[in-house]
Amino acid sequence: MSIEMKKEHLIQYGLKVFEEIGADEICSICIRSGNSCCHGCEFLKDKEGCQKRNTSCTAWLCGLQKHYFKDIGLLDDWEKFWTEIPGKLHRGDVTPECVKVNTFLKVKHLNKNSGKLMADTFKTFVKDGGNLEKLERNLQHDFVMGKL
């Protein structure tokens, strides 16, 4: 059974999942360090983050997020959920105003504090001189290579 959902509600759903599992904590570390995955996007406001989300950027996970989502067992379900949503382009969005959603993510069993702990690990990494952008690229590369 599928449910029809407005595009804006779908975006808000994705952001709510990020908040519920603590993934937004990881984004805040990147945004504050100036290494946001959205670097160069016209809607990114320096040190504040995104000012206008779309389905593409809501669905996409950077290497840090993929590492976290895999760690908590949500990566496969997240990717499957967003694969079913049409119209996602690189930093673009031609998703119809209403889409059919077949399943929702099960996140109630996940602890929001896990995201905070992962974010604290990344914060310490940066504080100790680590390059978060390089770490993200390496993790992203590992996930891409792992799929091949």
Side-chain angles (χ1 to χ4, degrees):
M1 181 176 139
S2 63
I3 298 171
E4 199 163 283
M5 203 170 183
K6 288 186 177 184
K7 177 169 78 170
E8 185 56 36
H9 293 147
L10 181 66
I11 293 166
Q12 292 307 315
Y13 172 72
L15 296 174
K16 181 74 173 153
V17 169
F18 253 60
E19 184 182 311
E20 285 180 11
I21 65 172
D24 58 332
E25 297 278 349
I26 296 167
C27 290
S28 70
I29 299 304
C30 287
I31 290 167
R32 277 180 281 188
S33 72
N35 289 316
S36 174
C37 59
C38 303
H39 183 72
C41 178
E42 65 181 300
F43 300 115
L44 181 66
K45 192 169 184 180
D46 193 34
K47 306 288 185 200
E48 288 185 34
C50 182
Q51 304 302 302
K52 185 179 178 189
R53 287 277 188 159
N54 65 43
T55 56
S56 297
C57 58
T58 304
W60 185 80
L61 298 176
C62 72
L64 300 174
Q65 291 293 0
K66 283 184 181 182
H67 176 72
Y68 176 59
F69 276 57
K70 184 175 183 182
D71 192 51
I72 62 171
L74 191 59
L75 182 59
D76 291 340
D77 289 343
W78 178 267
E79 289 181 341
K80 182 180 178 209
F81 175 82
W82 288 101
T83 298
E84 297 177 12
I85 306 302
K88 296 179 308 299
L89 307 169
H90 177 70
R91 290 199 179 153
D93 186 359
V94 292
T95 302
E97 285 307 310
C98 284
V99 295
K100 291 188 186 239
V101 176
N102 295 317
T103 59
F104 287 94
L105 299 163
K106 294 170 180 52
V107 298
K108 294 293 181 198
H109 67 287
L110 298 171
N111 187 335
K112 183 177 186 167
N113 290 330
S114 297
K116 175 97 173 89
L117 292 172
M118 185 71 74
D120 288 345
T121 300
F122 292 141
K123 188 187 300 183
T124 301
F125 176 75
V126 170
K127 185 178 167 191
D128 291 344
N131 183 323
L132 202 57
E133 184 178 9
K134 187 174 181 180
L135 175 62
E136 187 280 323
R137 279 195 319 263
N138 287 336
L139 288 169
Q140 187 70 273
H141 176 266
D142 290 349
F143 281 101
V144 169
M145 296 309 287
K147 291 222 178 218
L148 297 176

